[in-house]
Amino acid sequence: MDKICINGGKELQGQVTVSGAKNACLALMPLTILASEPIKMTNVPRLSDINTMKQLLISLGSIIREDLFKGSLHLHTPKISSHDAAYDIVRKMRASILVLGPLLAREGRARVSLPGGCAIGARPVDLHLFGLEKLGATLDLKDGYIRARASSRLRGNTIEFPFISVGATENLIMAATLAKGTTVLKNSAKEPEIIDLCNCINSMGGKIEGMGSSEIVIEGVDNLKGTQHEVLGDRIEMGTFMLAPAMAGGQVIVKGCPPTYLTAFTRKLSETGISVETGENEITVTRKNDTLKPINVVTEPFPGFPTDLQAQMMALTCLAKGKSTLEEKIFENRFMHAPELIRMGARIEVQGGIASVTGVDSMKGAPVMATDLRASVSLILAGLASKGETVVSRVYHLDRGYENIERKLATCGAQIERVV
Ligand code: UD1
């Protein structure tokens, strides 16, 4: 199994460009099965989660051609050949649930295994099911599968989510796009990846308004046509790379995503005393030899501080002077990186959903184990700032969401390599 070895303590200098957003792509790909015409996506990241989604769509009847060199995917589903999203594929990735809405809208039936994914909490799918029922679907759960049927076309409705869910908002948008009449989604998620999804749907002939706000209005259309769409840049990858010079020292320019998608994160990073300069599509992060100030972070749905950057920010607070707190409000079990950071010398106490971090002067390299996607990258960041060698094992978690991270960091001067 691959490992990442880091010889820490080297200042970073350089620039990196983030890849296309994994989370945007994982919704855009299932969207393509709503249309029988081909769709071309560019700026698609090369990640194992994208491969899993490809595998799933192919099992449903999609024909997918990949241009590895250009990072583009051509997806074409002239006919759905199976309505079954099998356990073997779905268990690898929770986002597989996003085929449920499109299959149901196009075909009036679907059978989708209950999903797996990162071990960061229970992560139920009740909101997806609640919304689809409101659009007229009949659902039952049997043998670990969701069986969904609609006797005729789905019908538009007003749906108010009891709390915010990114995936449920996406599934409902896709299902409502081919429903009869108008759907109003209240208390929707506002993530940039949802705006990207809606922009793509509108370029296919869909009629969506209000994306990026908490109320999204979808006027159903009879069908969608093919299109070409460039996936937006990955804001979580951008935030992760911003933390690399913040931890190790030096200056890195991170390009490829509008900084406005990271405002809450950037504000917290600046509070630590790190210099952050934003341009139109890039951010420059500089750390001289300054002392880091402690911060208090609370994760929230967009535009709040993203849960997907909590583990990485925790790595930085381990080196601040004083006590920081990180409160995780989205997932109940998302502090699995804490025991590994402690092995590298950090002082962290976790009680319920709050981690209290007392900064230390320095951390030391150690063998550590990745437990989920964002936890794995927090260990790499800690390794960049630690004395001696850090070896991160179980990096298959990392490969779900970061394309070539070791190469991108190495171009900035990090001593990092993958050992196969
Ligand atoms: C998406 C992102 C993930 C990110 C998360 C929150 C993708 C592929 N993944 O995940 O990286 O961490 O948003 O920003 O885009 N919930 C329920 N019932 C439901 C649905 C969700 O209880 O039916 C709960 C979840 O367990 C969680 C919270 O709601 O506690 C938010 O989850 P949600 O926004 O749905 O996250 P995902 O779409 O799974």
Side-chain angles (χ1 to χ4, degrees), residues 23 94 123-128 163 165-167 307-308 330-331:
N23 286 352
R94 177 180 162 81
R123 304 185 83 176
V125 291
D126 52 327
L127 289 193
H128 300 242
F163 56 92
S165 157
V166 175
T307 173
D308 286 351
I330 310 288
F331 295 111

Side-chain angles (χ1 to χ4, degrees), residues 370-383:
T371 49
D372 67 62
L373 168 56
R374 307 303 170 187
S376 58
V377 84
S378 76
L379 301 176
I380 290 184
L381 290 171

